[in-house]
Amino acid sequence: GQQLNQSPQSMFIQEGEDVSMNCTSSSIFNTWLWYKQEPGEGPVLLIALYKAGELTSNGRLTAQFGITRKDSFLNISASIPSDVGIYFCAGQLPNSGNTPLVFGKGTRLSVIA
Amino acid sequence: DSGVTQTPKHLITATGQRVTLRCSPRSGDLSVYWYQQSLDQGLQFLIHYYNGEERAKGNILERFSAQQFPDLHSELNLSSLELGDSALYFCASSPYPGELFFGEGSRLTVL
């Protein structure tokens, strides 16, 4: 099936640092979404992107839908301890109808205070 | 709070047993998806229902089945449980293809 390559797999950063993670695929996607999952919780939608080139912010988070439609990145500025969690990218294939979102394997973020 | 409700939150059972996980979608959402997440693994799609009809199947074992009822709630039935079935099971609902809203999950432990 379709795969999303998400990197890095994990990162340890100091509080206050900026974070960047990305997701790539060999396939074109119509929609890119970024989710965050905290321990013991379900994934929570952070940002949804619907157009190639779209740049969208949600507080300290910024995500972009790549021009080629095969990638997306998520930036977190001035990280804080509560940013800890697993960040998943997900994509919707064109004309996929009922096909569910394809998820990446996640980037595990640890923030050192 | 995503608006998606899953019960039970935790479940411990023995191998060979059968369990039922329940999901109530967000008000107005017709689509329900089930995902499995094993330890340190990503989200594995199991099955999708739309307004009571099965629409897509993923890596769902034959021992597992699901249904969506007229009131749109859904149940995932897991039978002949094995140790490897221990995982978090998430339900998600969606107003349209694309954005999923996840419940808090049901953690199944098979001993």
Side-chain angles (χ1 to χ4, degrees):
Chain A
Q2 298 297 333
Q3 292 220 347
L4 292 181
N5 302 307
Q6 193 170 348
S7 65
Q9 278 190 324
S10 62
M11 13 183 6
F12 290 81
I13 60 167
Q14 293 279 350
E15 182 177 359
E17 287 184 356
D18 296 344
V19 173
S20 186
M21 59 190 79
N22 68 76
C23 213
T24 61
S25 174
S26 58
S27 301
I28 289 172
F29 285 85
N30 269 357
T31 303
W32 284 95
L33 304 104
W34 287 91
Y35 287 84
K36 178 188 178 187
Q37 184 180 21
E38 298 186 15
E41 304 287 330
V44 173
L45 181 63
L46 299 173
I47 292 178
L49 303 157
Y50 300 102
K51 276 180 7 184
E54 181 180 352
L55 185 72
T56 297
S57 292
N58 177 5
R60 292 177 297 105
L61 278 61
T62 302
Q64 184 159 25
F65 192 140
I67 290 289
T68 65
R69 296 171 63 191
K70 294 183 179 181
D71 61 354
S72 177
F73 71 77
L74 176 70
N75 284 346
I76 305 173
S77 63
S79 58
I80 58 178
S82 63
D83 291 332
V84 165
I86 304 175
Y87 291 79
F88 291 100
C89 64
Q92 177 84 41
L93 292 163
N95 304 315
S96 55
N98 300 305
T99 306
L101 294 179
V102 180
F103 279 86
K105 290 189 181 298
T107 293
R108 186 181 294 273
L109 178 64
S110 300
V111 179
I112 304 165
Chain B
D1 182 3
S2 68
V4 177
T5 303
Q6 287 189 248
T7 57
K9 204 166 169 64
H10 301 277
L11 194 53
I12 301 174
T13 189
T15 54
Q17 295 298 305
R18 173 190 168 94
V19 298
T20 296
L21 309 180
R22 184 189 165 104
C23 169
S24 293
R26 296 187 326 153
S27 177
D29 287 354
L30 301 180
S31 273
V32 168
Y33 300 79
W34 286 96
Y35 283 82
Q36 180 193 57
Q37 186 179 43
S38 302
L39 190 64
D40 289 335
Q41 294 293 310
L43 293 152
Q44 300 295 316
F45 168 67
L46 296 178
I47 199 163
H48 167 212
Y49 277 84
Y50 178 83
N51 202 21
E53 291 188 8
E54 181 188 304
R55 287 299 179 94
K57 247 181 181 176
N59 300 320
I60 186 166
L61 300 172
E62 284 194 14
R63 299 183 286 109
F64 296 0
S65 65
Q67 53 186 326
Q68 186 180 27
F69 295 87
D71 67 353
L72 300 178
H73 91 269
S74 179
E75 293 181 355
L76 179 66
N77 301 298
L78 314 175
S79 61
S80 304
L81 285 168
E82 302 176 358
L83 296 177
D85 297 328
S86 295
L88 267 169
Y89 291 85
F90 287 106
C91 166
S93 75
S94 174
Y96 45 78
E99 295 184 19
L100 299 185
F101 295 86
F102 285 84
E104 294 190 342
S106 293
R107 181 175 293 281
L108 173 65
T109 302
V110 182
L111 302 175

